[in-house]
Amino acid sequence: RDRSPSRGLGDVYKRQQKNDTDPKFCAGAVELYLWTIFRSYGVIDTTHRNETQVIPQVIRYITEHFSEPLTLEDIAAEFFVSKSYLNRHFKAYTNSTVYAYIMALRLTHARRMLREGIPAVEAGRECGFSDYSTFYKAFKTQTGLSPQQFKSRA
């Protein structure tokens, strides 16, 4: 059975034409195939890639997307690295885990929004928390205050 990248791209194209596949999946598959081809022909050098190259890009990505649902798996896939590679090198570069960094960024923005008078429920939602309960627990853990207590003192 032919498993060449061009055959795989043809399959992705056919499935997309039949509306059988999510467009984001197709775009990711095409990107992965191209990356594989470029790497196999030496266009991309992976032998000297280290955390100083990829981690600043990851930080920029997290900063631009912190209000969206973010998982370690999604971020690792976005940068074509394994979860363990991402965790290890992110920790070495920032002295923080990916999860802790995302939470700190979200809570920093939430505190700013609360100081500006934005309701706690809206601040939590705008900062990427899936529900108020999750936001409340994270906020109270980090600050020692509930969002309402923080807002009244700000």
Side-chain angles (χ1 to χ4, degrees):
R1 187 170 166 170
D2 183 11
R3 280 291 186 211
S4 67
S6 61
R7 168 118 172 104
L9 284 176
D11 292 342
V12 169
Y13 177 76
K14 287 176 191 170
R15 291 183 73 183
Q16 177 59 36
Q17 291 302 316
K18 292 192 268 184
N19 290 328
D20 192 29
T21 307
D22 177 27
K24 288 182 182 178
F25 170 78
C26 290
V30 169
E31 191 173 357
L32 181 59
Y33 279 120
L34 290 174
W35 188 81
T36 303
I37 291 167
F38 290 156
R39 186 182 60 187
S40 68
Y41 285 100
V43 176
I44 296 175
D45 180 15
T46 58
T47 58
H48 295 97
R49 184 176 72 181
N50 60 35
E51 70 274 7
T52 60
Q53 293 171 329
V54 106
I55 299 305
Q57 295 171 15
V58 170
I59 291 169
R60 189 174 321 112
Y61 179 84
I62 291 171
T63 303
E64 292 171 358
H65 299 274
F66 75 91
S67 63
E68 303 168 14
L70 289 175
T71 65
L72 183 63
E73 294 82 10
D74 294 339
I75 297 168
E78 181 74 24
F79 291 93
F80 302 106
V81 295
S82 71
K83 292 185 301 183
S84 62
Y85 176 95
L86 178 58
N87 254 339
R88 186 173 55 254
H89 290 278
F90 194 90
K91 177 84 172 176
Y93 192 87
T94 65
N95 202 29
S96 173
T97 65
V98 173
Y99 176 78
Y101 185 85
I102 292 168
M103 292 302 286
L105 185 60
R106 287 176 173 172
L107 291 168
T108 298
H109 282 276
R111 284 194 310 274
R112 179 186 49 79
M113 292 174 80
L114 290 171
R115 279 190 217 104
E116 293 171 356
I118 294 170
V121 172
E122 185 179 337
R125 187 176 49 248
E126 292 291 320
C127 290
F129 290 94
S130 58
D131 57 55
Y132 184 73
S133 174
T134 305
F135 170 60
Y136 182 93
K137 289 174 190 172
F139 195 92
K140 180 114 181 174
T141 299
Q142 188 187 57
T143 65
L145 301 169
S146 73
Q148 280 73 23
Q149 290 169 331
F150 179 87
K151 190 174 180 179
S152 67
R153 292 182 184 187

